[in-house]
Amino acid sequence: MFTANRGRLALIGAVAVGAVVALAGCASGDPLGSGSSSSAESSTLVVGSQDYYSNEIIAEIYAQALEADGFTVDRQFRIGQREVYLPDITSGKIDVFPEYTGDLLQVLDDTATSGTPDAVYSALTKALPSGLQALDRADASDQNTWTVTKAFADKYNLTDIASLKNVTEPITVGGNSELETRPYGPTALSDKYGIVTAGFKPVEDGGGPLTVKALEDGDIQLANIYTASPAFDSGNLVALEDPDGLFFPSNVVPIVSAKVDDKAAAVLNKVNAALTADTLVALNAQSVNDQLAADKIATEWLKKENLI
Amino acid sequence: MNFFAEALQWLVDPANYVGLNAIPLRLAQHLGFTVVTLVIASAIAIPLGFLIGHTGRGRSVAVASAGAFRAIPTLGLLTLVALSIGIGLNAPYIALTVLAVPPILAGAYTGFEAIDRRTIDAARAVGMSEVQIVRQVEVPLGLPLLIGGLRSAALQVVATATLAAYVADFGLGRYLFAGLKTRDYAEMLGGSILVILMALALEGLFALTQRFVVPRGVLAGRPTDIRTRSSRPRPVMESAIEEGQKNVHSK
């Protein structure tokens, strides 16, 4: 009887300690409980982010820049994918959200056509529902590319997608299954540029480390890797230029509600202007390679750029 | 319900029976992959399991490490292996072999352990050598449990072999990955149905095999005994109280 009680006490103790640890973790990361009540106050800006590490870093940068200028910020990070959070933005529950021009435009307007980054940006500003506004777009982007290794690019003097015609050996394409049937996939290469590919090898990690490894091993020659991938940080990969807009340009752009006044908009525009393509790759590399937390990466960068 | 109708339509669509993505080809690849993985895993696990079962040594190590191996997430292992040896079929083979070894190993040594020690002592007493004991006594008597281990390994491998498509153009997993990403849920569900059917077919095959490999002597003893006991007209010994009363009366 005594031992059973002691065992039970120990169990309760263990659960209590676990709960305290778990709650402490929540308190520092995501104060969901206080979020809903404080967001009603007019002085608080709600900053959201996708469930994607790179997006969270950008959201954290926006949040810290706003805080440094005296705004009160409520962080609602890692909400999910676009289908999940888009209704919350349009209904005004979130005031600032880092988005990507081309990706968002295609969701809002399924007849949209690709073009230059500026064309896509202006199309997006028109497609946004009333009450929402797109601030200035950043140079940084997170979009599809056709990517080859540096050695392969040097060997055949490759610069843009069309120059793949110089390649004399068979080109095997690698990437997620859906790449095979996407409008910018291997079919587009042959239809638009007359580049015939030798085959398709599925690598289902979305342009992650396995895809990079396959490129380096020569198992594939051409892969779809996102421009913001930390893999570009090594300098061993070359994303072929896309002057014809085969891919939708997807630059980082803050989508804001009417609650964001001119002063807050100015803060975000200033930060966004400093966010170059190389910067975003470097920030992502800090997260993936050095395992740094989003808030630390954001603080460090903002200080380095004298933005806070 | 609508999804199921679409999936069935996908399954019978003649367009899915031609080319490099044809259903029969993917089925054959999937089955081939499963069989090869089981053969590799058996080549490792069965001799090891027999050794552990026969000598009784290293059992605790085998139990602990088999348990640990079972806990390894296959997708994570597959990614790790592929990162070191590259994409292609080798990485899935290694990852799936790790998945298949523990149940086969467990089946092999528990099969030996379940044998009545007196049977083995008797074999030794009539002058059988250790090799003869293993081959003529332990293996046949332990076979049903070994087949049981293979059966559970086959089920796990056939379901998890869909991961081969993660790094190679191979097997039924291609339908799952392609269907999921392009939101072609008919293709995805159709692919899943094929995996389920293959799992059921293998399960049935192994269940039958498991029945047939029970040695005739064991088969003759076991079920009939149980039946005689249950159809006994009345208990030989009465309840404890009645027995006690009998003793009182006799005194």
Side-chain angles (χ1 to χ4, degrees):
Chain A
M1 192 60 200
F2 181 64
T3 44
N5 261 339
R6 222 165 44 179
R8 199 174 299 164
L9 270 180
L11 182 71
I12 292 170
V15 169
V17 169
V20 168
V21 170
L23 284 176
C26 291
S28 64
D30 190 3
L32 259 182
S34 64
S36 49
S37 58
S38 63
S39 65
E41 297 165 31
S42 58
S43 61
T44 304
L45 291 175
V46 182
V47 180
S49 95
Q50 294 180 356
D51 190 11
Y52 169 43
Y53 74 95
S54 174
N55 194 266
E56 190 188 350
I57 295 172
I58 302 171
E60 186 64 49
I61 287 173
Y62 290 166
Q64 289 187 16
L66 287 170
E67 280 172 338
D69 254 56
F71 293 93
T72 314
V73 170
D74 174 20
R75 289 173 173 77
Q76 297 290 340
F77 288 175
R78 296 253 168 188
I79 297 176
Q81 298 306 313
R82 196 165 281 113
E83 308 85 74
V84 181
Y85 65 73
L86 205 56
D88 281 346
I89 301 183
T90 45
S91 70
K93 280 188 193 148
I94 301 170
D95 302 310
V96 180
F97 209 105
E99 260 292 355
Y100 306 92
T101 52
D103 291 338
L104 184 58
L105 175 63
Q106 287 176 85
V107 172
L108 296 174
D109 175 10
D110 50 11
T111 60
T113 50
S114 181
T116 63
D118 281 328
V120 169
Y121 173 72
S122 73
L124 174 68
T125 54
K126 290 185 192 100
L128 277 176
S130 62
L132 291 182
Q133 190 196 346
L135 298 182
D136 293 352
R137 70 172 179 87
D139 171 49
S141 66
D142 206 342
Q143 69 191 52
N144 296 300
T145 64
W146 282 125
T147 293
V148 296
T149 60
K150 180 93 174 47
F152 194 76
D154 289 345
K155 190 174 169 190
Y156 293 106
N157 200 17
L158 304 179
T159 49
D160 58 3
I161 296 174
S163 66
L164 278 171
K165 265 183 292 193
N166 304 347
V167 179
T168 49
E169 61 184 283
I171 304 174
T172 304
V173 181
N176 280 5
S177 290
E178 72 268 23
L179 179 62
E180 218 178 343
T181 50
R182 285 280 192 254
Y184 47 78
T187 347
L189 289 180
S190 71
D191 291 354
K192 262 185 133 172
Y193 300 100
I195 300 154
V196 180
T197 50
F200 183 84
K201 282 190 184 172
V203 188
E204 304 281 353
D205 70 339
L210 279 175
T211 313
V212 175
K213 162 95 177 155
L215 267 178
E216 283 166 353
D217 287 354
D219 286 327
I220 57 176
Q221 282 72 43
L222 191 62
N224 176 10
I225 296 179
Y226 285 94
T227 43
S229 164
F232 285 109
D233 202 38
S234 67
N236 293 331
L237 298 177
V238 176
L240 299 175
E241 283 168 32
D242 177 24
D244 308 321
L246 182 66
F247 300 107
F248 263 86
S250 274
N251 297 86
V252 174
V253 62
I255 301 297
V256 299
S257 73
K259 241 168 84 181
V260 173
D261 56 16
D262 289 349
K263 193 182 158 216
V267 171
L268 292 174
N269 279 339
K270 201 174 145 197
V271 170
N272 231 24
L275 203 59
T276 63
D278 291 344
T279 304
L280 185 58
V281 170
L283 294 176
N284 287 348
Q286 280 186 308
S287 173
V288 172
N289 301 338
D290 308 335
Q291 301 284 314
L292 289 179
D295 55 343
K296 286 213 179 71
I297 298 172
T299 312
E300 212 173 279
W301 181 75
L302 284 166
K303 278 191 180 145
K304 203 182 82 189
E305 299 283 327
N306 287 323
L307 290 164
I308 55 170
Chain B
M1 229 35 231
N2 201 7
F3 273 138
F4 268 105
E6 282 176 25
L8 291 178
Q9 227 163 21
W10 179 86
L11 280 175
V12 295
D13 187 351
N16 293 323
Y17 287 82
V18 286
L20 289 171
N21 205 25
I23 290 173
L25 180 69
R26 294 293 183 206
L27 275 173
Q29 286 175 341
H30 203 89
L31 188 64
F33 184 91
T34 306
V35 171
V36 170
T37 307
L38 284 178
V39 168
I40 300 173
S42 301
I44 299 167
I46 294 180
L48 197 63
F50 282 175
L51 193 70
I52 294 167
H54 182 71
T55 60
R57 290 203 190 104
R59 190 182 173 276
S60 50
V61 178
V63 171
S65 54
F69 272 112
R70 270 180 212 240
I72 295 177
T74 306
L75 181 58
L77 181 67
L78 172 63
T79 309
L80 269 185
V81 176
L83 274 178
S84 60
I85 65 170
I87 61 164
L89 272 184
N90 287 338
Y93 273 131
I94 293 174
L96 272 281
T97 301
V98 169
L99 180 75
V101 161
I104 302 177
L105 184 68
Y109 73 69
T110 51
F112 277 24
E113 273 175 2
I115 302 165
D116 191 340
R117 296 319 294 176
R118 285 172 299 188
T119 313
I120 295 163
D121 289 343
R124 202 164 278 138
V126 297
M128 280 179 148
S129 69
E130 291 303 306
V131 177
Q132 279 174 322
I133 292 174
V134 171
R135 288 181 54 175
Q136 293 172 26
V137 180
E138 289 182 319
V139 169
L141 286 174
L143 207 52
L145 278 173
L146 173 63
I147 300 290
L150 276 168
R151 178 175 166 181
S152 104
L155 193 67
Q156 290 184 43
V157 170
V158 83
T160 321
T162 46
L163 283 182
Y166 194 71
V167 287
D169 184 11
F170 208 80
L172 293 170
R174 288 286 280 130
Y175 297 134
L176 304 193
F177 282 115
L180 181 67
K181 300 283 180 56
T182 55
R183 304 195 182 184
D184 185 349
Y185 297 128
E187 181 184 21
M188 202 172 109
L189 191 56
S192 316
I193 291 172
L194 291 174
V195 175
I196 294 167
L197 288 180
M198 190 180 282
L200 287 176
L202 279 179
E203 184 71 4
L205 196 70
F206 273 108
L208 275 181
T209 320
Q210 213 170 356
R211 281 192 147 202
F212 281 120
V213 295
V214 178
R216 211 177 303 151
V218 179
L219 209 57
R222 241 192 244 148
T224 39
D225 265 359
I226 294 162
R227 208 167 296 154
T228 359
R229 215 177 295 144
S230 62
S231 61
R232 236 173 353 215
R234 59 184 179 82
V236 173
M237 205 163 88
E238 285 160 39
S239 74
I241 298 168
E242 286 164 346
E243 291 284 322
Q245 280 171 343
K246 255 192 243 166
N247 285 346
V248 171
H249 287 302
S250 64
K251 264 184 187 169

